[in-house]
Amino acid sequence: MSVENKVVVITGASSGIGEATAKLLAKNGAKVVLGARRENRLQEISQDIKDAGGQATYRVTDVTNPDDLKALVTLAKKEYGAIDVIYNNAGIMPTSPISALKTDEWNMMIDVNLKGVLNGVAAVMPDFTTQKHGQIITTSSVAGIKSFIGSGVYGATKFAVRNLMEVIRMESAKEQTNIRTATIYPAAINTELLQHITDENSKEGMDKLYKSVGITPDAIDAIARVVNFAIDQPEDVNVNEFTVYPTKQG
């Protein structure tokens, strides 16, 4: 099944992996619907896609608000007549030791990284169940399959996403709704995530790691190609997990 003409909703689309994915999918003929909080960036990216001959629309979206996700899906159906894929890519990473008790940041990570994904799932599930096809793709993290000091709560949200996506896949197979899932586990990739870290020691350690082994901005396109690959498979094929490390990272 080709990416061409698929209607794809992308959250966290205003920079980094989301932006790169939107541009690649649009280049390959998908109709992309962009959601994020920064309207100026959404405008710019949408216009870039249109200038390159692609199809794109956008809506300012806060993934912690269920109504925003529903409105984004409604926009996709209004503009393009359908919804085929949602890519839950929005996330934050204010890592810190548990003992630092940055409880406000814990709650923000739960709201964005876990509840934000659940809100995306809830927004598309009625359509996907009725039409008996659809695809849910989510950015987890290598911290969702391995434990790291300083990433207890961040990792907990990403472990939860891993379980959620696998259960959706299993339940869909049982219910015969043909919903495909794909979970992506990026390791050290140089995006805006590091800007969320307020704990000085954690920030110093993460900056050192990412400077040493982090994937270059050009390689962010590699994640976009993974998403493209997952969507591009035949409808009866579900490639559901992808771990992406920098070659230098142990």
Side-chain angles (χ1 to χ4, degrees):
M1 179 62 66
S2 172
V3 169
E4 188 173 8
N5 291 320
K6 286 285 185 72
V7 179
V8 184
V9 169
I10 303 172
T11 67
S14 61
S15 65
I17 292 169
E19 176 184 358
T21 301
K23 289 180 175 178
L24 178 63
L25 295 180
K27 179 181 177 181
N28 290 338
K31 302 167 185 177
V32 296
V33 183
L34 313 181
R37 290 177 295 179
R38 292 177 291 182
E39 185 168 14
N40 63 322
R41 291 292 299 139
L42 293 173
Q43 287 176 332
E44 292 171 8
I45 295 164
S46 180
Q47 192 59 53
D48 286 346
I49 289 170
K50 291 176 182 177
D51 290 345
Q55 298 184 70
T57 188
Y58 71 88
R59 187 184 189 280
V60 175
T61 303
D62 181 346
V63 298
T64 67
N65 184 343
D67 289 338
D68 277 11
L69 271 301
K70 292 176 184 176
L72 193 63
V73 170
T74 297
L75 174 64
K77 293 188 290 185
K78 178 181 177 181
E79 291 291 321
Y80 301 123
I83 170 72
D84 297 302
V85 182
I86 186 168
Y87 179 23
N88 296 303
N89 176 64
I92 58 173
M93 190 182 71
T95 55
S96 64
I98 300 299
S99 59
L101 293 179
K102 290 183 176 286
T103 55
D104 287 345
E105 293 182 355
W106 297 358
N107 287 320
M108 284 192 297
M109 283 188 280
I110 292 167
D111 286 345
V112 175
N113 297 353
L114 178 53
K115 289 184 180 179
V117 173
L118 287 167
N119 290 337
V121 170
V124 299
M125 189 61 74
D127 288 291
F128 286 1
T129 300
T130 299
Q131 66 197 25
K132 294 192 181 300
H133 72 84
Q135 188 169 22
I136 301 170
I137 304 173
T138 300
T139 301
S140 178
S141 167
V142 70
I145 53 177
K146 296 172 65 175
S147 298
F148 295 93
I149 290 174
S151 294
V153 178
Y154 175 73
T157 65
K158 296 302 187 175
F159 267 93
V161 164
R162 181 189 189 192
N163 181 74
L164 170 67
M165 294 291 286
E166 176 63 2
V167 171
I168 291 172
R169 184 194 68 78
M170 295 167 65
E171 289 181 348
S172 174
K174 181 179 180 180
E175 295 164 3
Q176 298 184 345
T177 51
N178 308 309
I179 299 170
R180 299 189 296 164
T181 64
T183 311
I184 303 171
Y185 307 100
I189 297 180
N190 288 305
T191 66
E192 295 180 352
L193 283 180
L194 294 183
Q195 298 175 17
H196 302 144
I197 302 174
T198 62
D199 184 81
E200 292 184 5
N201 289 333
S202 295
K203 182 70 162 62
E204 182 179 353
M206 294 294 275
D207 282 344
K208 184 177 180 180
L209 171 66
Y210 277 62
K211 185 176 181 180
S212 173
V213 304
I215 289 178
T216 64
D218 287 345
I220 290 175
D221 291 338
I223 306 296
R225 290 194 294 273
V226 167
V227 176
N228 188 94
F229 176 81
I231 296 172
D232 203 38
Q233 300 308 301
E235 289 289 344
D236 60 351
V237 174
N238 187 32
V239 284
N240 69 319
E241 290 194 314
F242 302 88
T243 305
V244 184
Y245 277 99
T247 304
K248 296 178 182 179
Q249 186 173 358

